[in-house]
Amino acid sequence: MRLFAAVLLTEEQRTAILAYQRALKKSVPPGERVNWSREENLHLTLAFIGEYPEAGPVIRALGRVEGEAYSLTLDRGGHFGDIRWVGVRDGGGTVRLAGEVRRALREAGIPFDPKPVKPHITVARKYRGGEPASMPEPVCGEIGAFVLMRSDRIDGRLTYTKIWEKKLDRHARDQKE
Ligand code: 2AM
């Protein structure tokens, strides 16, 4: 099975991303076939594990992660080549959590893609179009958990399923406030 660890967004954030996608769609010339991310697939990847025979050892490794909850604001659009994404401002929270997740995987001997973390939410692949309007308003939300996702192609559609979730610690953050 194909696995990755991620954080999910609030409903308000997903709604804002869909509005941004609609703005992007307006700048795509007719006839271009762009792969738009579906709302239920929107996420921020912490570690891409890829093909792994079973979820059990991955869940046990991730269960040892002690991460802290953090706030994350969607604040801009951007792209890597023809991949369009929404970027975030999060005080380094996503990179910190990804570091903890990757450390736990490494300690358990579970391989993952070692490319450095660049927090982004992919909204379109194979994008062909102009520069769209920017993200309208920054949208803030609380990241209170991280998840293990399974990725399958079902009837040609990329489908992500949450198979496990771990709550992040709110205590340390609350004490600082
Ligand atoms: P992307 O959105 O920038 O493509 C599931 O494929 C998730 O894992 C996506 O968020 C994807 O990022 C990310 N990912 C990171 N490394 C990957 C890799 N080597 N192959 C596929 N997806 C990868």
Side-chain angles (χ1 to χ4, degrees), residues 18-34:
L18 292 185
Y20 178 66
Q21 253 186 358
R22 281 195 296 277
L24 282 177
K25 281 180 188 171
K26 287 190 188 136
S27 50
V28 174
E32 291 289 355
R33 283 182 56 89
V34 174

Side-chain angles (χ1 to χ4, degrees), residues 94-146:
T94 305
V95 169
R96 257 194 311 279
L97 178 58
E100 293 298 319
V101 162
R102 289 167 176 225
R103 185 153 64 106
L105 293 172
R106 213 176 289 117
E107 283 172 4
I110 296 166
F112 57 88
D113 187 328
K115 277 201 295 287
V117 191
K118 289 188 192 160
H120 67 277
I121 300 136
T122 299
V123 295
R125 296 170 203 275
K126 299 188 185 160
Y127 179 80
R128 302 261 182 280
E131 279 302 313
S134 51
M135 279 296 291
E137 289 288 317
V139 189
C140 184
E142 169 86 358
I143 302 295
F146 73 99

Side-chain angles (χ1 to χ4, degrees), residues 7-11 13-14 17 42-44 72 74 121:
V7 293
L8 304 180
L9 302 162
T10 64
E11 191 178 342
Q13 290 179 322
R14 292 198 308 271
I17 292 173
L42 296 172
H43 67 274
L44 272 156
L72 178 148
L74 307 175
I121 300 136

Side-chain angles (χ1 to χ4, degrees), residues 33-99:
R33 283 182 56 89
V34 174
N35 289 345
W36 301 104
S37 304
R38 289 182 289 130
E39 178 179 2
E40 59 273 29
N41 282 356
L42 296 172
H43 67 274
L44 272 156
T45 300
L46 300 170
F48 181 77
I49 296 153
E51 279 303 324
Y52 202 74
E54 44 173 350
V58 182
I59 290 173
R60 279 194 293 282
L62 295 181
R64 291 194 277 272
V65 171
E66 298 293 339
E68 273 181 36
Y70 61 98
S71 347
L72 178 148
T73 303
L74 307 175
D75 74 340
R76 65 191 186 281
H79 66 102
F80 305 140
D82 62 3
I83 294 183
R84 282 272 156 185
W85 43 256
V86 167
V88 303
R89 198 167 62 225
D90 64 359
T94 305
V95 169
R96 257 194 311 279
L97 178 58

